[in-house]
């Protein structure tokens, strides 16, 4: 006999409930005996369960002892939680830099959110990342450093369906012009992650997944998104999931932004805990003319717990019946994106075109009067005074770049 206990849940009234599946390997009986919800803390529940099991498995069994043991062990394990481990810190050891699956966008073993308005290619980016990690496409034209180890991606989809996901992946694969195929694990979802945790964990084991793509955060969290209960339950569920080898999973989470016109900077929709509990957050913005096959997107790094904030990354997207292609570009070359760059980056963008005086630079970046002090400070630091030296003040009172790289990598 075997009793599988899953989906333990503690209620505010003190109940601890779970799901149980009872099976047997006895050749004289059918393997499946019972699947039901069960209250581990109620004695009456045990009596009722004992009666049902005795009816379905009539051979002599000490059900009282078995059910008592099941309840006690389940409650003890639930209350014990994770074990304590000792962290030994050697002051002479070198700090280990954070690992990335896609540098600088996706840190390994961490949850990363990509949020933005609807139809700004967030889902397409997540599919692109799935392709890059599965192949893996280390030698790529996107100027992204991809881990050389092939990852097993599981796409958990609360928005689209299998056909749409397959079409998106095919379009991206065609756009890369590789002439090869690949397999990405896919699961359509309809329950919030916290309520579907056992089933998702089983699918992770089946797929041997190491990376989760969650599309999207709202339905995956479920409930009242402005409540901390919904966000905390989502992250607790996500944190409980493990790869088959017991290591944490890397998660790429697609999310929408909050519709708050009073806020200057956009944030992830819902409770602030959606933002607070994520380790990495990128905002995705788009510029596209109506009816055009071409679009420009820019990714702004809004949160980092384990590194500094990286510079914006921009891509040009061409999408038609022949596929979807991504081309890395300079964010400062797109007017809408250039306005959102930091003042030093706006200065550098101008100097990529040649050497200019401070007056010409201010004119080109449309400097506001209130930014005058910040402008002088930015020039001072860019010249190597208290920062990395990127420009030089020339004898003719102009400024020029020391580096001529097209892209300023993070």
């Amino acid at each position: 006999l075997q009793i599988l206990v899953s989906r333990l849940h503690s209620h505010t009234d003190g109940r601890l409930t779970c799901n149980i599946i009872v099976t047997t390997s006895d050749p004289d009986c059918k393997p499946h005996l019972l699947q039901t919800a069960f209250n581990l803390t109620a004695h009456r529940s045990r009596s009722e369960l004992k009666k049902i099991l005795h009816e379905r498995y009539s051979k002599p069994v000490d059900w009282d002892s078995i059910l008592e043991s099941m309840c006690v062990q389940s409650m003890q394990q639930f209350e014990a939680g994770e074990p304590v481990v000792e962290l030994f810190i050697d002051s002479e050891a070198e700090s280990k830099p954070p690992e990335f699956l896609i540098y600088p966008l996706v840190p390994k073993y961490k949850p990363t959110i990509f949020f933005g308005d609807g139809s700004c290619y967030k889902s397409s980016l997540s599919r692109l990342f799935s392709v890059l990690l599965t192949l893996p496409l280390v030698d790529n034209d996107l100027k992204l450093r991809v881990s050389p180890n092939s990852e097993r991606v599981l796409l958990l989809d609360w928005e689209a369906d299998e056909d749409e996901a397959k079409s998106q992946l095919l379009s991206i694969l065609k756009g890369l012009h590789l002439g090869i195929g690949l397999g990405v694990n896919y699961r359509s979802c309809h329950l919030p992650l916290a309520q579907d945790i056992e089933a998702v964990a089983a699918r992770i084991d089946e797929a041997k997944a190491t990376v989760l793509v969650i599309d999207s955060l709202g339905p995956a969290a479920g409930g009242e998104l402005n409540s901390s209960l919904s966000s905390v339950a989502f992250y607790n569920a996500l944190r409980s999931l493990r790869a088959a080898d017991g290591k944490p999973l890397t998660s790429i989470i697609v999310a929408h932004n909050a519709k708050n016109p009073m806020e200057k900077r956009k944030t992830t929709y819902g409770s602030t805990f959606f933002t607070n509990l994520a380790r990495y957050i990128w905002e995705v913005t788009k510029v596209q003319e109506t009816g055009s096959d071409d679009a420009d997107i820019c990714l702004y790094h809004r949160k980092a717990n384990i590194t500094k904030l990286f510079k914006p990354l921009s891509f040009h997207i061409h999408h038609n019946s022949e596929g979807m292609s991504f081309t890395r570009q300079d964010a400062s070359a797109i007017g809408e994106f250039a306005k959102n760059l930091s003042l030093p980056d706006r200065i550098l963008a101008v100097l990529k075109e040649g050497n200019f005086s401070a007056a010409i630079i201010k004119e080109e970046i449309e400097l506001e009067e209130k930014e005058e002090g910040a402008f002088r400070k930015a020039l001072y630091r860019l010249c190597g005074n208290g920062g990395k030296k990127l420009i030089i003040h020339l004898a003719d009172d102009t400024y020029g770049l020391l580096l001529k790289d097209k892209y300023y990598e993070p």
Side-chain angles (χ1 to χ4, degrees), residues 81-95:
E82 297 294 323
V84 173
V85 296
E86 182 180 5
L87 302 177
F88 178 74
I89 312 300
D90 183 358
S91 61
E92 301 299 321
E94 293 185 4
S95 299

Side-chain angles (χ1 to χ4, degrees), residues 243-408:
D245 60 3
K247 294 181 179 178
L249 294 158
T250 301
S251 50
I252 298 168
I253 306 168
V254 176
H256 298 281
N257 59 31
K259 305 295 184 181
N260 188 349
M262 302 301 293
E263 293 290 337
K264 185 176 180 180
R265 177 171 290 183
K266 294 181 179 179
T267 59
T268 305
Y269 182 84
S271 165
T272 56
F273 280 98
F274 283 122
T275 295
N276 295 341
L277 296 177
R279 302 295 88 188
Y280 247 52
I281 296 179
W282 292 86
E283 181 186 358
V284 185
T285 62
K286 179 188 74 168
V287 175
Q288 183 178 27
E289 294 183 4
T290 303
S292 175
D293 291 337
D294 295 271
D296 296 295
I297 63 171
C298 192
L299 282 67
Y300 299 95
H301 201 189
R302 298 308 190 198
K303 181 185 176 183
N305 281 78
I306 56 176
T307 66
K308 62 184 180 182
L309 290 175
F310 291 123
K311 294 181 182 294
L313 279 71
S314 182
F315 299 92
H316 179 77
I317 300 174
H318 181 71
H319 187 199
N320 58 22
S321 58
E322 297 180 0
M324 180 184 294
S325 63
F326 290 77
T327 305
R328 182 75 174 270
Q329 64 184 0
D330 188 346
S332 64
I334 309 299
E336 288 296 317
F337 302 154
K339 292 189 299 185
N340 296 320
L341 297 177
S342 67
L343 188 53
D345 283 334
R346 288 156 61 195
I347 295 172
L348 292 173
V350 172
L351 294 180
K352 289 175 188 177
E353 305 302 321
N355 299 342
F356 298 102
S357 66
I360 296 297
I361 296 172
K362 287 191 283 186
E363 182 179 328
E364 289 295 318
I365 65 175
E366 299 179 357
L367 189 77
E368 297 181 14
E369 186 176 346
K370 63 181 181 181
E371 295 180 296
E372 185 66 41
F375 176 80
R376 290 195 299 269
K377 182 177 180 181
L379 275 181
Y380 185 76
R381 287 181 60 83
L382 288 171
C383 287
N385 302 297
K388 184 178 180 181
K389 189 171 184 177
L390 296 177
I391 67 175
I392 186 171
H393 193 184
L394 301 169
D396 61 356
D397 204 26
T398 63
Y399 294 86
L401 286 181
L402 283 178
L403 303 174
K404 297 300 181 183
D405 294 337
K406 183 177 182 182
Y407 301 102
Y408 283 85

Side-chain angles (χ1 to χ4, degrees), residues 78-229:
F78 181 81
E79 293 169 356
E82 297 294 323
V84 173
V85 296
E86 182 180 5
L87 302 177
F88 178 74
I89 312 300
D90 183 358
S91 61
E92 301 299 321
E94 293 185 4
S95 299
K96 184 179 179 181
E99 296 182 76
F100 282 82
L101 293 187
I102 302 177
Y103 182 89
L105 294 170
V106 182
K108 192 173 184 179
Y109 301 141
K110 309 296 181 184
T112 299
I113 289 178
F114 293 84
F115 80 93
D117 287 329
S119 303
C120 68
Y121 291 94
K122 304 183 300 294
S123 292
S124 297
L125 277 173
S126 74
R127 276 49 165 182
L128 172 66
F129 298 156
S130 299
V131 171
L132 294 177
L133 292 172
T134 301
L135 288 174
L137 193 58
V138 177
D139 184 16
N140 63 79
D141 297 328
L142 301 174
K143 292 186 175 289
L144 296 175
R145 297 212 295 266
V146 179
S147 169
N149 301 315
S150 177
E151 300 292 333
R152 299 280 296 177
V153 178
L154 174 58
L155 172 55
L156 299 176
D157 194 352
W158 277 264
E159 291 202 359
D161 54 34
E162 181 180 344
D163 290 338
E164 185 175 335
K166 188 174 182 179
S167 176
Q168 290 173 330
L169 289 165
L170 176 60
S171 182
I172 290 169
L173 198 58
K174 284 184 175 181
L176 291 170
H177 304 293
L178 300 176
I180 58 175
L182 83 164
V184 174
N185 298 290
Y186 176 89
R187 183 179 188 260
S188 178
C189 303
H190 63 276
L191 291 174
L193 180 63
Q195 297 179 26
D196 202 24
I197 193 67
E198 296 295 336
V200 171
R203 301 295 87 76
I204 289 171
D205 288 342
E206 288 176 9
K208 296 181 173 58
T210 56
V211 176
L212 293 183
V213 173
I214 295 175
D215 192 357
S216 64
L217 178 59
E224 174 51 57
L225 296 183
N226 287 316
S227 167
S228 61
L229 295 177

